Amino acid sequence: MTFNLEEKELYQNLVLAEKFLFKSPKIKFERTLIWRKQYFKNVAGIYAIFEKNKIIYIGETGNLYKRMSDITKTVNHTFRKHIGKSKFGGIKSSKKYDPEIEEMLDKYFDEELYITFIEINFGRLEIETYLIDKYQTQIINSEKKRKFKFNYDLIAEVEKCIDI
């Protein structure tokens, strides 16, 4: 048995996920257990990180609650490693930066970052890949190794038809 979705239907799902993600409330990032418990569950999802109102990172995870903890630790997440190096000139010794850089990173997270997310179990990699491809010039994500070719003319047509 073969199951095929038309390209247009696939793009509708990508566009819907994008619209829901960017219409979700921006939550001020906090590095606390109380914050994680208040907003996140042990569910899969897609998330976008903003520096104030500017998108800077897009990610996917099988566990939003755990990812929000991991992302605040240099040893656990490439986003924090990249920010430490690019914004603060950090040079990692072992798996962390010097204490001064780690302190600047903590302050940056506390003062500058916001996050939106949607819970989604199936198709996270495809949605993340699409969003990284679309917003590549605005975000710090590296391009995905598994590159899909997107038909942006068809996506533009689909976007006109979707209003949420």
Side-chain angles (χ1 to χ4, degrees), residues 47-101:
Y47 59 96
I49 300 176
F50 296 82
E51 185 179 76
K52 303 241 188 292
N53 286 318
K54 179 185 165 210
I55 186 166
I56 60 171
Y57 189 85
I58 295 166
E60 68 85 19
T61 181
N63 187 325
L64 284 162
Y65 179 82
K66 185 175 180 323
R67 180 57 49 90
M68 292 307 115
S69 175
D70 289 347
I71 211 164
T72 65
K73 299 176 184 118
T74 302
V75 68
N76 289 343
H77 206 278
T78 57
F79 172 73
R80 186 168 167 108
K81 290 174 194 168
H82 183 83
I83 294 294
K85 184 177 179 181
S86 66
K87 281 209 175 287
F88 305 113
I91 299 168
K92 284 188 295 178
S93 56
S94 71
K95 297 184 183 240
K96 292 177 95 176
Y97 291 112
D98 290 337
E100 304 82 41
I101 300 292

